Amino acid sequence: MGLIFEVAAHGLTAILATWLGLLVVTRARRAHGAPVFGLLALLLVVWSVAIIAQRMGTVPEVKDGLNAFEDVAAFPLPAVTAHLAISVALEGRPSRIATAFLLAAYAIGVGAAFQAVADPAHPIVTTPPHWEPFGIPGEVLGWGFIAVRAVMFAGAIGWLVGALRRAGDDVPRQRQLKVMLLTLGIGVVGGMMRILPEEVGGPAWIGVSLIALATVLAVYAVLAQRVFIGAEVTAREFRASLVVGLGVVGYVLVLVAADRAVSALIGLELPIVIALAVVVTLALFEPIAEAVRRVLSGPSAIEPLALAPAVAGVEGQPAGTRGHELLRPALSRLVRTFDLTGAAVVDNRGQPTMVHGRLDPSDDPHARLPLEAADGHAAFGLKRSGLPLRPAELDLLRMATTYVDAAIRLGERTGAHETALRELSREGRAVEAHEAALAEALAVHASGRRGLYVYALGPLRAELDGEPMRRWGGPKAGSRQAEAVFAFLFDRGERGASKDEIVELVWPDVDLDRADTAFHRTMLGLRSALAPARKRGRADGPIEFGNDRYRLRPDVVTWSDVAEFESLLQRARGSAPDERLLLLEAARTLYRSELFDDCPFYGDSVYVEERREELRERYVDLLIDLGALYEERGDRAAAADASRRARAITGRDPDVIASRTA
């Protein structure tokens, strides 16, 4: 009885893995983890078929060969399982730790498979005869191999648990991860029961049955929770695949039965029935497939399935709700990727029609990008770190809104006349191109950045190699004093600052000797904080000294919001209205408040006032220009918001300011 259950479970696993693996690989090959899922399905199929053939076969020589296939497919399975879990959990390029973990896992799995093929008489098991390289006891090696595979499975579960903790209030993402955890959890338990000796792990059919159950849950994860193919396979396409697949299976069974019946009746060993059936199938396949498609799709079906990525999940819904169905997962993914406080879609009257997370559109700054198809704009909050979105990050958001705009427009036209199908197909390919570019850009962004990034338009903040600067001075220097010195040098640029100026700013009431000691100690601490791994041959490090003045080296600051703010304003001059609007919006998000708003010592000094006033006036001019551009577009809510902010800064009517500067 146990043999029957084992073979049945392997058969179900092989069938489902074949169907689901092909479905994912052919429909969602660009999704994170889809190729890995295809490899996992392939290994499960080879493993299950090899075991079925061994259990049911009668030729000993064939059984030995099939045992090699079983080992080659089974040994890499833990590594591939961990790879799949990491791909789903990280949604981008794996970290260094994850990469090292996977390299080690694959090396062990492939090495074990190679040993099984090279020396099948001495497998890596706990009971003799077993492999004993370099005098290592075979039993110890066997249990060690079991433990290593358990660590691989534990790593897979651990990465998914970590992703679930980071999901926050993203409910769709939480559901996907919970289903993946349940699926892999059951599969891991079944896999470990099969890996352990039978006296410990129990009968083989129990472990295989759990693996088959995990495969069934994988079908639910892929088709119901939209893991891998949620944005690429419509419900209609799934029904067609299922019906056609079952039909083909039934057709083959009928042919085999008919061929055996005819052979027994007339005593002919030639497969005449199957040969004639193949000819008939080739002749009638196209008209039969067309008829099945019409029955499944109905009279208003979209002919080219290339359009499926744009309308998946929203077909058949009222036009007003299709945009929301496309926007909701897009907002969720963007908020999660950039770690934003929230995002919203705001109509031309200023009313939010969709909100994800926590976003108050009256807060400033927040990113605002126009949406053509949604009659309004998308608003994105600050990063949870409190820093604004950089222009490079806004470019990614712009790519996302471009994709959503194109997808919405395509979705709204799915009921159009047959003559528009070719144009819709071209737009579908454009949506796929936007999606591929966005996915690649998000993966690059997730890999992190190097260098010093300075945010001075508002409270002074900085990031060094992706980590916030929390202490500006060394262990013997005050952090506030070092921060003031950095702000002074950063603002002065090539002019630099003398020692007397810095001492007068930071230590005005300290006697000369103590101030001199504090100055040099602070300068040393600041240099160490800005370049902790600088070369010993460079005495000054990131701060140069010449002509009695201290200066930041030009290559110390990789990027600053002040320089980017001025560059965007310069590029906006003479640009076309649409491009000008995007550039000004990118500049607006950088201006959190006054230059060096809360910087100790320097923020309250006379040195900063002139530059602060200059940037404030440029920001007011930016708001006035934005108000005019939004007024031309008919977005009254955005225009009023820009005017209100300009009035709050100057205390005057923006129209009066604009007329005086015209």
Side-chain angles (χ1 to χ4, degrees):
M1 185 63 69
L3 176 61
I4 296 176
F5 284 142
E6 182 184 6
V7 171
H10 275 298
L12 179 61
T13 300
I15 292 172
L16 291 180
T18 300
W19 173 58
L20 200 57
L22 290 174
L23 191 68
V24 170
V25 170
T26 57
R27 264 77 165 192
R29 55 186 175 273
R30 290 189 304 274
H32 293 300
V36 185
F37 184 86
L39 176 60
L40 179 65
L42 175 62
L43 293 178
L44 283 174
V45 171
V46 174
W47 177 65
S48 294
V49 171
I51 292 178
I52 291 174
Q54 290 180 76
R55 300 294 188 269
M56 306 300 291
T58 58
V59 181
E61 294 79 6
V62 175
K63 285 187 176 184
D64 294 339
L66 291 172
N67 188 66
F69 276 98
E70 177 189 350
D71 291 339
V72 168
F75 289 157
L77 271 174
V80 178
T81 302
H83 193 175
L84 176 64
I86 291 173
S87 298
V88 173
L90 299 184
E91 295 186 294
R93 295 181 178 178
S95 63
R96 292 180 179 178
I97 295 177
T99 301
F101 181 85
L102 290 178
L103 287 175
Y106 274 112
I108 293 171
V110 173
F114 179 80
Q115 188 278 333
V117 174
D119 189 8
H122 298 88
I124 308 176
V125 292
T126 58
T127 56
H130 38 213
W131 192 42
E132 296 183 335
F134 311 110
I136 301 175
E139 185 176 2
V140 173
L141 188 63
W143 283 108
F145 188 38
I146 292 174
V148 167
R149 286 180 284 180
V151 170
M152 296 181 194
F153 285 138
I157 300 299
W159 258 287
L160 287 177
V161 170
L164 183 60
R165 290 177 177 174
R166 294 189 300 270
D169 57 354
D170 191 344
V171 176
R173 173 70 170 164
Q174 288 181 356
R175 286 200 300 263
Q176 286 185 348
L177 291 172
K178 287 178 180 177
V179 171
M180 285 295 295
L181 268 172
L182 179 62
T183 302
L184 286 186
I186 294 176
V188 163
V189 172
M192 287 305 302
M193 292 180 67
R194 285 287 286 114
I195 290 172
L196 289 167
E198 189 166 338
E199 59 271 16
V200 178
W205 69 269
I206 298 179
V208 176
S209 298
L210 290 176
I211 295 174
L213 177 59
T215 311
V216 174
L217 286 175
V219 176
Y220 172 76
V222 171
L223 299 178
Q225 293 302 323
R226 300 183 177 182
V227 179
F228 305 125
I229 62 173
E232 298 206 19
V233 178
T234 63
R236 178 177 295 148
E237 191 175 357
F238 164 64
R239 292 196 303 269
S241 176
L242 181 60
V243 171
V244 172
L246 293 176
V248 170
V249 171
Y251 180 57
V252 171
L253 292 176
V254 169
L255 286 181
V256 172
D259 185 71
R260 288 189 176 183
V262 170
S263 298
L265 180 63
I266 63 177
L268 183 64
E269 295 297 330
L270 292 175
I272 185 65
V273 174
I274 293 180
L276 292 175
V278 169
V279 175
V280 172
T281 301
L282 291 175
L284 300 181
F285 176 79
E286 186 59 34
I288 292 175
E290 178 65 25
V292 171
R293 187 184 296 118
R294 282 198 300 268
V295 170
L296 293 174
S297 302
S300 61
I302 300 298
E303 179 68 20
L305 291 180
L307 300 181
V311 298
V314 299
E315 193 173 351
Q317 298 181 11
T321 65
R322 292 179 185 172
H324 280 193
E325 291 296 330
L326 287 163
L327 282 169
R328 186 172 289 109
L331 291 182
S332 171
R333 174 69 188 277
L334 292 171
V335 168
R336 186 171 69 251
T337 298
F338 292 99
D339 196 24
L340 304 178
T341 56
V345 176
V346 183
D347 62 22
N348 287 336
R349 296 172 299 173
Q351 299 299 317
T353 59
M354 179 185 298
V355 179
H356 184 83
R358 297 177 178 85
L359 176 68
D360 184 354
S362 64
D363 289 344
D364 196 31
H366 66 271
R368 183 167 47 212
L369 296 173
L371 281 173
E372 300 289 347
D375 295 327
H377 61 269
F380 300 93
L382 292 171
K383 291 183 280 189
R384 295 184 188 276
S385 62
L387 298 177
L389 289 160
R390 296 182 293 107
E393 294 169 329
L394 281 176
D395 287 340
L396 296 181
L397 292 177
R398 193 172 300 124
M399 293 172 66
T401 53
T402 300
Y403 162 66
V404 170
D405 257 340
I408 292 174
R409 284 195 298 269
L410 185 60
E412 298 295 342
R413 296 178 60 186
T414 55
H417 195 267
E418 294 290 334
T419 55
L421 287 177
R422 290 185 180 179
E423 179 63 25
L424 290 177
S425 182
R426 282 194 294 270
E427 290 190 13
R429 289 192 294 271
V431 171
E432 291 181 350
H434 287 309
E435 181 185 17
L438 173 61
E440 178 64 24
L442 289 175
V444 171
H445 174 78
S447 63
R449 60 178 186 271
R450 306 288 295 177
L452 179 64
Y453 288 70
V454 179
Y455 300 84
L457 293 174
L460 177 60
R461 301 290 185 269
E463 293 179 350
L464 181 61
D465 294 339
E467 295 295 329
M469 292 278 292
R470 295 187 172 90
R471 183 167 182 82
W472 293 87
K476 297 183 180 180
S479 183
R480 299 176 74 253
Q481 289 81 359
E483 182 179 354
V485 173
F486 174 82
F488 201 170
L489 297 178
F490 173 80
D491 196 32
R492 283 294 186 91
E494 294 182 356
R495 291 181 297 160
S498 68
K499 173 185 173 182
D500 292 340
E501 288 176 320
I502 296 174
V503 170
E504 179 64 26
L505 171 72
V506 183
W507 299 278
D509 301 323
V510 180
D511 63 75
L512 187 59
D513 290 339
R514 291 176 56 200
D516 183 78
T517 301
F519 169 80
H520 288 291
R521 184 181 297 156
T522 300
M523 192 64 69
L524 178 62
L526 179 60
R527 283 170 172 153
S528 298
L530 294 178
R534 68 175 185 269
K535 297 180 180 179
R536 292 186 177 183
R538 188 189 297 272
D540 288 340
I543 301 176
E544 298 175 333
F545 179 74
N547 298 325
D548 294 328
R549 303 185 74 81
Y550 292 87
R551 300 174 182 84
L552 283 177
R553 279 212 337 264
D555 60 342
V556 169
V557 177
T558 305
W559 178 92
S560 76
D561 56 354
V562 176
E564 190 70 29
F565 180 79
E566 295 182 318
S567 174
L568 290 168
L569 294 182
Q570 180 65 33
R571 289 163 54 194
R573 295 174 183 173
S575 300
D578 289 345
E579 180 66 17
R580 180 179 176 82
L581 176 63
L582 295 174
L583 292 172
L584 292 178
E585 274 292 351
R588 183 186 67 83
T589 61
L590 293 174
Y591 196 94
R592 293 171 289 146
S593 60
E594 302 283 338
L595 179 70
F596 295 116
D597 189 22
D598 69 344
C599 182
F601 303 106
Y602 190 71
D604 298 326
S605 69
V606 296
Y607 297 108
V608 76
E609 287 301 326
E610 181 179 352
R611 181 65 167 153
R612 179 180 286 170
E613 178 64 24
E614 175 191 349
L615 291 171
R616 183 192 304 125
E617 291 179 356
R618 299 191 72 178
Y619 179 61
V620 171
D621 293 341
L622 176 153
L623 291 172
I624 295 172
D625 289 348
L626 275 178
L629 289 170
Y630 277 116
E631 191 69 36
E632 292 176 3
R633 294 172 60 89
D635 194 338
R636 294 186 298 275
D641 178 70
S643 298
R644 176 180 61 80
R645 298 183 191 280
R647 187 182 298 108
I649 295 173
T650 63
R652 293 175 291 171
D653 189 338
D655 294 334
V656 175
I657 302 174
S659 64
R660 291 181 180 177
T661 57

